[in-house]
Amino acid sequence: MNILFLTQRVPYPPNKGDKLRSFHEIRYLARRHQVALLCLTDDEQEIRYEHKLQKFCRSVKVVYQSPLQSKMRALLSLTTSNPLTLPFFYSPRLADLVRTSIQRGEYDLIFVYCSSMAQYVPQNCPIPAIIDFVDVDSEKWAQYAKYAQFPWTVIYRRESRKLRAYESQITKRFQHGFLVSEQEVKDFHRLVSAWDALTALPNGVDFRVFHPGSGEYDSHNLVFTGAMDYFANIEAMQYFCHDILPRIRKEIPDVSLSIVGSKPSEAVRQLAEELPGVTVTGFVESVLPYLHKAAVFVAPMRIARGVQNKILEAMAAGVPVVISSLGFEGLTATPGRDVFVEDDAKDFARQVISLIRDAALRRTVAERARKCIEDHYNWENNLSRLDEAIGSAVSES
């Protein structure tokens, strides 16, 4: 089968969120079908990854769009009824490539990654199409609004409303849809639409990359990993450093924190400047050494949708995780056994202290966490759910 795969990011290298999931979907599909990839980028340096993706795809085309151009399109649409997401990810060149491909009848199926790319699939499209929403984006914008400052609170609330209406409208263009967890499916039905052609498609972990360490760890070191220009991660680390870390240091004064991830914002860099024992690494080739060094992975997420890949990777690497209930949503794991879930700053700190002080507890939880990931987050097993949906979408068209 010939599949046209559309995504808003270059799915390489597979080192974070949307790149990771879309990369594994493409690689899985390419072993069974002929896949042509069309994607956007706001970084001209990423065009060089075309040849990497050609190992899997029949053809790859990365379309560059300047960040300034995207922002201007979004700004100009503030007076319209559209969510800002659509003009931000709209490229006339990409639209023309998709339109031409449809007219020529080159493909048997269109696979759309993320709601922002649904705009490239016309209504009454002659080719069957399926969409991976990943998570309920409109609800994420609602969460942003809770912690942002004026005027961003107003803009984020507007985006949540407009995008929620759009998410409901576009279900009519697709034969099937996916979300990253059963919880996201329930939330989509509750918040957006009762569309019944949805399937939970969990993420996975590359067990060859993320594995438990064999050496000694630093019993007083904590770690967090993630893209550090991402608002949800920035907010989580600000909250941890200002509200939770001081409580831990009352009991363990020399505890340290490693914030590991690319493009740290000024707010994140300030945490390292203001607080002793807090290290901000910036980009690293691999987060694994930092995970293996740490006693505990901390993730007090107050903004989160779907499943946090950083949590899966930490668990696979044999690091105990303390996370908020919002970050835990959608995770197939048992609280108090595979992972610890705490929302109150005092309780969060208490649990971290307990894991630092009790090496036997830490070891037991680490082993259970790894087993949990092995049981529930195998890419090959989880992505096999694509097969039935694709077959059904094509047969129904």
Side-chain angles (χ1 to χ4, degrees):
M1 187 182 303
N2 293 315
I3 297 176
L4 176 61
F5 196 105
L6 305 177
T7 180
Q8 87 283 30
R9 307 283 187 203
V10 177
Y12 198 89
N15 56 7
K16 65 177 183 178
D18 48 4
K19 290 174 176 280
L20 185 69
R21 182 174 170 92
S22 56
F23 172 82
H24 281 282
E25 288 176 342
I26 290 168
R27 189 169 68 170
Y28 180 89
L29 293 172
R31 289 200 294 267
R32 294 156 177 80
H33 309 282
Q34 295 292 312
V35 177
L37 171 63
L38 289 178
C39 58
L40 291 172
T41 185
D42 59 3
D43 182 355
E44 288 183 291
Q45 296 298 315
E46 289 192 327
I47 295 175
R48 71 182 189 272
Y49 294 131
E50 282 186 346
H51 78 280
K52 295 281 189 180
L53 292 161
Q54 285 169 352
K55 295 178 182 178
F56 312 106
C57 301
R58 185 185 75 182
S59 64
V60 179
K61 185 62 180 177
V62 177
V63 176
Y64 172 74
Q65 183 153 292
S66 76
L68 178 61
Q69 198 173 37
S70 296
K71 290 174 183 177
M72 287 300 297
R73 280 203 177 99
L75 183 63
L76 291 172
S77 73
L78 271 172
T79 58
T80 72
S81 61
N82 294 324
L84 305 185
T85 298
L86 298 189
F88 187 87
F89 286 106
Y90 181 75
S91 161
R93 185 180 173 202
L94 184 65
D96 186 57
L97 289 170
V98 174
R99 190 182 308 111
T100 300
S101 295
I102 292 174
Q103 290 173 347
R104 290 177 177 174
E106 296 176 354
Y107 300 103
D108 306 301
L109 177 82
I110 301 175
F111 190 113
V112 171
Y113 186 88
C114 284
S115 59
S116 60
M117 300 300 286
Q119 61 186 311
Y120 294 100
V121 178
Q123 294 185 22
N124 303 315
C125 182
I127 303 171
I130 61 178
I131 182 170
D132 185 0
F133 284 99
V134 187
D135 49 39
V136 185
D137 273 341
S138 57
E139 183 61 12
K140 183 163 56 184
W141 288 104
Q143 292 176 4
Y144 284 175
K146 292 181 182 179
Y147 298 101
Q149 296 180 339
F150 182 84
W152 297 109
T153 51
V154 176
I155 295 173
Y156 292 164
R157 288 193 189 103
R158 176 196 183 277
E159 186 66 4
S160 178
R161 291 194 309 272
K162 302 296 184 182
L163 192 56
R164 187 159 297 176
Y166 180 72
E167 287 168 338
S168 178
Q169 293 168 7
I170 61 175
T171 59
K172 301 177 179 66
R173 304 185 191 184
F174 298 94
Q175 279 69 42
H176 204 91
F178 297 99
L179 287 151
V180 75
S181 69
E182 293 290 353
Q183 183 61 50
E184 287 296 306
V185 172
K186 291 177 183 177
D187 287 348
F188 193 96
H189 287 157
R190 176 174 60 88
L191 298 168
V192 181
S193 166
W195 191 39
D196 60 3
L198 283 171
T199 300
L201 185 71
N203 280 353
V205 176
D206 189 334
F207 300 125
R208 297 168 300 177
V209 175
F210 293 95
H211 53 79
S214 56
E216 295 293 321
Y217 68 92
D218 181 345
S219 63
H220 287 189
N221 177 246
L222 311 176
V223 68
F224 177 86
T225 64
M228 294 316 303
D229 59 346
Y230 180 46
F231 182 65
N233 291 340
I234 297 169
E235 199 284 328
M237 284 298 92
Q238 289 179 311
Y239 170 54
F240 181 81
C241 288
H242 294 148
D243 292 69
I244 300 174
L245 186 58
R247 298 174 188 272
I248 298 172
R249 284 182 166 168
K250 284 182 179 179
E251 299 289 331
I252 309 172
D254 65 341
V255 73
S256 62
L257 170 67
S258 299
I259 302 174
V260 183
S262 62
K263 301 179 181 178
S265 68
E266 179 60 30
V268 173
R269 291 195 297 270
Q270 283 181 357
L271 295 175
E273 295 171 4
E274 297 170 359
L275 299 171
V278 174
T279 300
V280 175
T281 67
F283 172 79
V284 296
E285 289 294 337
S286 172
V287 300
L288 196 61
Y290 296 90
L291 293 174
H292 286 167
K293 175 187 175 183
V296 184
F297 187 100
V298 293
M301 311 301 296
R302 297 197 292 185
I303 302 169
R305 294 306 310 170
V307 173
Q308 304 294 304
N309 289 302
K310 61 178 74 69
I311 304 304
L312 304 183
E313 292 168 354
M315 293 172 69
V319 185
V321 171
V322 184
I323 191 172
S324 62
S325 59
L326 194 59
F328 177 77
E329 283 188 5
L331 188 65
T332 304
T334 303
R337 174 185 168 84
D338 308 318
V339 63
F340 290 102
V341 182
E342 303 289 353
D343 285 322
D344 179 76
K346 182 179 179 181
D347 293 336
F348 198 106
R350 174 184 50 79
Q351 194 60 71
V352 172
I353 291 168
S354 177
L355 285 165
I356 288 174
R357 287 179 168 170
D358 191 339
L361 173 64
R362 180 190 182 278
R363 182 170 57 254
T364 299
V365 173
E367 291 171 352
R368 289 172 176 169
R370 171 70 184 191
K371 181 64 164 57
C372 171
I373 298 300
E374 289 175 344
D375 290 345
H376 300 291
Y377 292 98
N378 180 291
W379 276 118
E380 193 72 14
N381 291 345
N382 293 345
L383 290 175
S384 65
R385 303 180 191 188
L386 291 172
D387 299 331
E388 183 178 352
I390 289 173
S392 177
V394 173
S395 64
E396 290 174 7
S397 63

